[in-house]
């Protein structure tokens, strides 16, 4: 380390950690700042496309060191195993200690398979590309044997997975199981379009009863009914790493770091939390974990650290949702446009135009990283307009070191 150098440590090179690191490195390129990024894999995981991997498609191989080329960011491949906010250090792989002046916590989330017996042992998730690829291999065998597949969870991830699988394997018995109605957050017309896609692709939708057990060849519904399932994909419920809670950082009931209006930890202001691992509130309510909201938190935090280093106050984070983009296989999609609080507007897009829109959205993070190495591009589609303006005016951040 050089004398007087400010050390920024970014934990997690997922969608948000990548953007925070690259944007910050560019914004502070003339300052004495060292940015270090830690991630277990050197390959960037495009979580937005994991359902494509599960259906048997191969994705482009994005190497993190290549995406960071020319930024000066130091990449450390490893898993963070402990965090000590009193000493301002993190431990990587139980053996290497890294110190920091500012920490960006971007460890994301994973699917929670702990709540239903058998889900952890007999179901697959879309968390890791290796697991999704193993699912795809099993899927080919199950399809060839005329078996049945269940997708548990009727959120956007479950919908995308069920339709992708059904399109890739016509005639396969695919059942989407959801307590609530899939697409309930969409407007009436977009939801009707979604249900027509389920019919066309032969996806059976079961709603109203939760899954109580996952067995090797069936899932059990509340009440005891067994739905045949030689292969089960679990997409419902999220959990976050316990590192922050274990370290005594203030977290919410879900283990996410509680942040102030500027996205700094309320208990440790030199820790900035972004993406799925942060509990972020806006005037209209809490943000739920999406790439759409996560990328703006990363952009904001990079700008905040840069501002604080110049002795300027942090600004409040403002965000509003714009859309719910949902692929329905490779040849169809539906995009529900939304108000800032994610409730549906009248406008929606379907068919080929929606496919192109969705493709653009899924590919935009990689484009943003490449551009952010040289210019400050925005990853924020909407700052929420009137829905966030007044609250932001009332809420100003604290200076560095406060
Ligand atoms: C199949 C699927 C489809 C989705 N589709 C959409 C969509 O269409 N639109 C949308 O907005 N959102 C979508 N999402 C949600 C979106 O992917 C997440 O909100 C987003 O990935 C959050 O970004 P993040 O940076 O917080 O976390 P991630 O992108 O998950 O990154 C977290 C990173 O931290 C690393 N990490 C974890 N633990 C450690 C540790 N101990 N040490 C070091 N590194 C660690 C992980 O390996 C990972 O690289 C989808 C999610 C899935 C699973």
């Amino acid at each position: 380390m050089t004398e007087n150098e400010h050390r920024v440590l970014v934990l997690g090179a997922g969608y948000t950690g990548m953007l925070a690191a690259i944007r910050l490195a560019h914004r502070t390129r003339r300052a004495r700042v060292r940015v270090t990024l830690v991630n277990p894999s050197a390959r960037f995981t495009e979580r937005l496309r994991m359902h494509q991997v599960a259906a048997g498609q191969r994705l482009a191989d994005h190497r993190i060191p290549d995406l960071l080329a020319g930024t000066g960011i130091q990449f450390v491949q490893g898993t963070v195993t402990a965090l000590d906010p009193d000493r301002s250090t993190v431990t990587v792989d139980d053996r290497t200690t890294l110190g920091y002046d500012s920490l960006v916590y971007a460890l994301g989330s994973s699917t929670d398979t702990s709540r239903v017996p058998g889900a952890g042992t007999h179901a697959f998730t879309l968390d890791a590309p290796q697991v999704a690829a193993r699912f795809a291999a099993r899927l080919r065998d199950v399809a060839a044997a005329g078996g049945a597949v269940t997708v548990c969870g009727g959120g956007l991830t479950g919908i995308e997975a069920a339709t992708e699988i059904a399109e890739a394997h016509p005639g396969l018995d695919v059942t989407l199981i959801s307590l609530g109605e899939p697409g309930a957050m969409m407007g009436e017309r977009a939801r009707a379009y979604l249900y027509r896609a389920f019919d066309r692709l032969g996806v059976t939708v079961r709603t109203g009863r939760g899954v109580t057990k996952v067995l090797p060849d069936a899932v059990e519904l509340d009440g005891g009914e067994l739905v045949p399932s030689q292969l089960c994909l679990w997409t419902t419920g999220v959990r976050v790493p316990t590192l922050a809670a274990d370290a005594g950082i203030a977290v919410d009931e879900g283990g996410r770091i509680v942040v102030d209006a500027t996205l700094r930890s309320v208990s440790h202001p030199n820790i900035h939390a972004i993406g799925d691992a942060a509990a972020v509130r806006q005037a209209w309510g809490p943000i739920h974990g999406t790439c759409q909201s996560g990328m703006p938190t990363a952009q904001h935090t990079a700008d905040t650290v840069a501002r604080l280093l110049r002795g300027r106050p942090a600004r409040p984070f403002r965000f509003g949702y714009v859309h719910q983009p949902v692929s329905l296989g490779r040849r169809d999609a539906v995009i529900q446009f939304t108000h800032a609080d994610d409730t549906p507007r009248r406008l929606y897009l379907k068919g080929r135009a929606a496919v192109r829109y969705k493709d653009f959205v899924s590919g935009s993070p990689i484009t943003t990283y490449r551009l952010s190495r040289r210019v400050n591009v925005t990853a924020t589609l909407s700052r929420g307009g009137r829905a966030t303006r007044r609250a932001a005016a009332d809420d100003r951040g604290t200076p560095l070191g406060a």
Side-chain angles (χ1 to χ4, degrees):
M1 179 189 146
T2 321
E3 214 183 325
N4 295 333
E5 195 177 51
H6 188 91
R7 298 160 304 164
V8 182
L9 191 52
V10 181
L11 307 185
Y15 282 110
T16 63
M18 284 291 289
L19 178 61
I22 295 172
R23 186 175 174 98
L24 180 63
H26 178 69
R27 294 209 65 148
T28 58
R29 63 197 178 283
R30 292 196 193 90
R32 298 169 77 85
V33 175
R34 166 174 285 270
V35 181
T36 304
L37 178 62
V38 187
N39 199 64
S41 167
R43 186 183 175 195
F44 178 73
T45 299
E46 284 189 279
R47 281 185 80 188
L48 301 191
R49 297 190 193 272
M50 275 307 109
H51 57 292
Q52 296 177 230
V53 179
Q57 294 158 39
R58 280 182 71 100
L59 299 184
D61 191 8
H62 299 293
R63 313 291 300 171
I64 293 171
D66 294 343
L67 292 168
L68 301 181
T71 60
I73 296 168
Q74 183 193 5
F75 177 60
V76 175
Q77 187 174 351
T79 300
V80 178
T81 44
L83 173 52
D84 185 340
D86 296 330
R87 291 201 170 89
S88 293
T89 58
V90 305
T91 309
V92 178
D93 291 334
D94 288 325
R95 51 170 197 270
T96 309
T97 302
L98 301 174
Y100 62 83
D101 299 302
S102 299
L103 185 79
V104 179
Y105 189 94
L107 295 182
S109 65
S110 55
T111 313
D112 188 358
T113 52
S114 68
R115 287 165 192 245
V116 171
T121 21
H122 302 305
F124 287 75
T125 67
L126 293 174
D127 290 336
Q130 301 84 342
V131 180
R134 280 211 304 280
F135 177 91
R138 283 281 308 278
L139 183 63
R140 280 191 287 275
D141 296 342
V142 171
V149 175
T150 50
V151 176
C152 299
L156 300 187
T157 304
I159 293 170
E160 291 196 326
T163 50
E164 197 82 41
I165 290 166
E167 185 192 73
H169 296 279
L172 177 68
D173 181 351
V174 180
T175 303
L176 178 63
I177 301 174
S178 174
L179 194 55
E181 191 190 355
M185 70 298 281
M186 294 178 162
E188 223 170 272
R189 290 184 305 156
R191 195 163 56 242
Y193 189 80
L194 171 66
Y195 271 75
R196 284 201 293 279
F198 286 147
D199 284 347
R200 178 173 50 78
L201 293 165
V203 175
T204 305
V205 180
R206 300 286 309 261
T207 58
R209 282 190 290 162
V211 174
T212 46
K213 208 182 281 177
V214 181
L215 303 162
D217 55 1
V219 298
E220 183 193 83
L221 301 185
D222 196 9
E225 186 191 348
L226 292 179
V227 179
S229 170
Q230 280 72 49
L231 190 55
C232 175
L233 186 65
W234 197 263
T235 70
T236 181
V238 287
R239 60 181 161 202
V240 299
T242 60
L243 277 168
D246 295 344
I249 297 162
V251 295
D252 70 357
E253 65 286 352
R256 299 177 308 162
I257 294 185
V258 179
V259 292
D260 66 12
T262 70
L263 306 183
R264 299 165 75 185
S265 156
V266 293
S267 60
H268 298 81
N270 65 337
I271 297 180
H272 306 250
I274 57 177
D276 286 6
V280 182
R281 284 196 73 84
Q282 291 291 282
W284 44 259
I287 282 180
H288 52 267
T290 60
C291 198
Q292 186 186 166
S293 52
M295 295 285 281
T297 64
Q299 173 179 333
H300 185 84
T301 285
D303 294 352
T304 296
V305 175
R307 284 178 68 84
L308 293 171
L309 286 169
R310 289 200 305 271
R312 295 167 68 187
R315 285 184 171 146
F317 175 67
R318 289 178 52 210
F319 168 79
Y321 287 98
V322 169
H323 55 207
Q324 297 160 359
V326 188
S327 65
L328 304 168
R330 289 302 83 204
R331 295 188 286 274
D332 200 1
V334 59
I335 316 292
Q336 173 67 64
F337 293 96
T338 66
H339 298 284
D341 62 359
D342 210 25
T343 53
R345 290 180 187 273
R346 277 180 63 80
L347 187 66
Y348 78 107
L349 210 59
K350 61 185 180 182
R352 294 176 70 127
V355 171
R356 281 197 291 276
Y357 187 102
K358 170 72 186 182
D359 258 3
F360 176 77
V361 168
S362 301
S364 64
I366 296 289
T367 312
T368 303
Y369 304 148
R370 292 207 167 107
L371 291 172
S372 298
R373 296 184 297 200
R374 289 186 300 276
V375 284
N376 295 324
V377 288
T378 185
T380 306
L381 294 176
S382 163
R383 299 180 68 217
R386 261 186 316 188
T388 58
R389 200 171 295 134
R390 182 175 299 154
D394 297 342
D395 214 339
R396 294 284 165 203
T398 37
L400 191 68

